[in-house]
Amino acid sequence: MSLWVDKYRPKKFGQLTFHPQITDSLKSLAATGDFPHLLVYGPSGAGKKTRIYATLNELFGASVEKLKIDVKTFTNASSKKLEFNVLSSPYHLEITPSDMGNNDRVVIQDLLKDVASTEQVDFSNPGKNGVKHRFKVVIINEADSLSRDAQAALRRTMEKYSANIRLIMVCNNISNIIAPIKSRTLLVRVPAPSVKEIGDILLHIALKESVKFSSNDPEKLRKYVDAVARGSAQNLRRSMLTFETISMQLELLNVDNLSSATIVLDWEVIIQNIALSLRRDKSVANLAKLRVTFYELLSHCIPSRLILKTLALELASSETSHCRELMETAAVFDERLSLGLKAIFHLEGFAAKAMVIMS
């Protein structure tokens, strides 16, 4: 039994229901024989990967859905062996080099060079438009988290092997992408869907899954699903997961109780408590206690930059008189997170600086 977010994920362009201009542009690119490198960016849950896989489906057909996971082994400069997971089909690879930390350059150099130096020879499936594509596509997740060395290696790969490989880089923000890569790719921004668009999708799922509501009044149903979308910050993936969770927990959804349409995640509650603690107790002893909490968040795979962003916004929302100083400080430590190795140092540094500002 699959989650609704996977069960109702569109696989083709014709199944996509929002951002029609982006869909039409990608469809036109797939129809041409000269497909460019892409840099797809936008907020989480906007549908970036869904559109990328719809593009691959248009290029190569349904074969891109036959996925397997391979474990590749690499050796870094200190002769240490590194294992790296690669999701692949006969026509594409999907990788997340940032998982390797500072060894991401090794993955870029070895894996991409190995793929790009071999010409695609399987022409049994010429694609839906009859165009034979002599290249493999490599999807690079979290491209904005790549180190500068890895991005430099990526640029050289793009130049040298452009005949045999096409890169599709995915990220939330392009500010950390170096200019040479931006100039060699077609930038595609996928904005977050509107509240109404998310609501329409949730109502469609509710109909398919026979979700029971306390009232069938269309206006009340619309307000309820819109509350789910707003509570999820217009993140479509999170909205669908939230809606499924509520539907599984309650046999009958009370559309008159809009507060039940919002689920606050555990890590968000923890960050709210951190912000409250910073405002109440501006001492070194409290800072030492918060270090343990930061470690717990990081150990549960909450990204350090997401922790910093959420904490900064939480503090700024209540400290209106110091809002600008807090956000400027958060920007400084956000840059340090992208350059440094130990996230805990920079999170603790921001907490200490925030204490000083608020005092």
Side-chain angles (χ1 to χ4, degrees):
M1 183 178 178
S2 60
L3 296 170
W4 290 354
V5 71
D6 297 319
K7 185 177 179 180
Y8 293 99
R9 184 188 298 274
K11 293 182 172 61
K12 302 177 182 178
F13 283 130
Q15 298 171 345
L16 295 168
T17 58
F18 56 92
H19 301 333
Q21 293 180 334
I22 299 175
T23 302
D24 292 341
S25 298
L26 290 174
K27 193 171 184 178
S28 299
L29 287 173
T32 63
D34 186 19
F35 189 78
H37 300 296
L38 296 181
L39 177 54
V40 185
Y41 66 102
S44 298
K48 300 185 292 294
K49 291 285 285 295
T50 299
R51 275 174 168 72
I52 289 170
Y53 272 95
T55 304
L56 294 179
N57 194 300
E58 189 75 12
L59 281 169
F60 305 112
S63 298
V64 295
E65 298 172 20
K66 298 176 182 178
L67 300 174
K68 63 176 181 177
I69 298 178
D70 295 324
V71 179
K72 303 287 186 181
T73 303
F74 302 96
T75 305
N76 63 7
S78 58
S79 300
K80 181 181 178 181
K81 288 189 176 182
L82 309 168
E83 289 189 348
F84 183 68
N85 293 332
V86 179
L87 186 66
S88 65
S89 77
Y91 298 97
H92 87 286
L93 303 174
E94 182 177 343
I95 59 175
T96 310
S98 59
D99 288 346
M100 304 298 288
N102 282 345
N103 292 307
D104 55 357
R105 180 180 58 84
V106 179
V107 175
I108 294 293
Q109 284 183 329
D110 294 353
L111 179 63
L112 293 189
K113 188 181 294 183
D114 182 50
V115 174
S117 59
T118 306
E119 184 176 342
Q120 178 78 355
V121 294
D122 182 10
F123 297 139
S124 59
N125 184 0
K128 291 186 176 181
N129 304 300
V131 179
K132 293 182 178 180
H133 301 288
R134 295 176 175 268
F135 58 79
K136 258 196 173 183
V137 174
V138 178
I139 300 172
I140 301 178
N141 296 319
E142 300 178 13
D144 51 344
S145 298
L146 291 174
S147 65
R148 295 285 166 154
D149 289 342
Q151 292 190 47
L154 192 61
R155 181 191 66 178
R156 291 191 292 271
T157 302
M158 293 168 69
E159 293 172 344
K160 189 173 181 180
Y161 301 106
S162 60
N164 299 338
I165 193 172
R166 291 294 185 277
L167 299 178
I168 300 181
M169 287 169 278
V170 190
C171 60
N172 293 343
N173 195 306
I174 60 172
S175 60
N176 289 331
I177 305 293
I178 60 176
I181 287 182
K182 292 179 187 175
S183 66
R184 288 165 174 77
T185 56
L186 175 65
L187 273 63
V188 179
R189 180 178 179 271
V190 183
S194 67
V195 170
K196 183 182 182 303
E197 289 168 338
I198 294 177
D200 291 339
I201 294 171
L202 295 182
L203 286 174
H204 171 72
I205 293 173
L207 181 64
K208 291 285 187 180
E209 296 292 331
S210 301
V211 177
K212 295 179 181 179
F213 296 95
S214 61
S215 171
N216 291 323
D217 183 358
E219 187 174 344
K220 289 184 177 181
L221 291 177
R222 168 57 63 178
K223 286 183 179 179
Y224 189 84
V225 295
D226 286 355
V228 175
R230 290 192 187 93
S232 303
Q234 292 178 235
N235 181 324
L236 179 56
R237 179 174 57 251
R238 180 172 172 179
S239 297
M240 293 173 71
L241 290 170
T242 299
F243 190 59
E244 183 176 6
T245 302
I246 296 170
S247 302
M248 294 297 108
Q249 290 177 345
L250 305 173
E251 292 184 3
L252 189 70
L253 302 188
N254 185 1
V255 295
D256 294 315
N257 183 13
L258 296 183
S259 61
S260 66
T262 304
I263 294 178
V264 181
L265 302 179
D266 292 343
W267 67 268
E268 292 177 329
V269 174
I270 292 173
I271 292 179
Q272 289 173 3
N273 292 334
I274 291 174
L276 185 63
S277 178
L278 285 172
R279 290 193 294 267
R280 286 180 176 175
D281 184 5
K282 303 176 182 64
S283 66
V284 176
N286 187 39
L287 195 61
K289 292 179 183 178
L290 293 180
R291 176 188 294 178
V292 178
T293 310
F294 283 133
Y295 266 125
E296 288 181 358
L297 288 170
L298 293 171
S299 66
H300 285 81
C301 299
I302 307 299
S304 56
R305 299 180 74 175
L306 181 60
I307 296 172
L308 177 65
K309 176 184 174 182
T310 308
L311 179 58
L313 292 174
E314 189 68 31
L315 290 171
S317 63
S318 57
E319 297 286 335
T320 53
S321 58
H322 303 296
C323 179
R324 181 170 180 175
E325 289 178 90
L326 286 168
M327 297 313 293
E328 286 177 349
T329 303
V332 171
F333 281 94
D334 182 71
E335 182 186 17
R336 291 178 182 176
L337 275 172
S338 64
L339 299 174
L341 296 177
K342 293 288 186 179
I344 187 67
F345 293 164
H346 308 297
L347 292 175
E348 191 174 313
F350 171 73
K353 187 69 175 177
M355 284 181 176
V356 174
I357 292 171
M358 291 186 293
S359 61

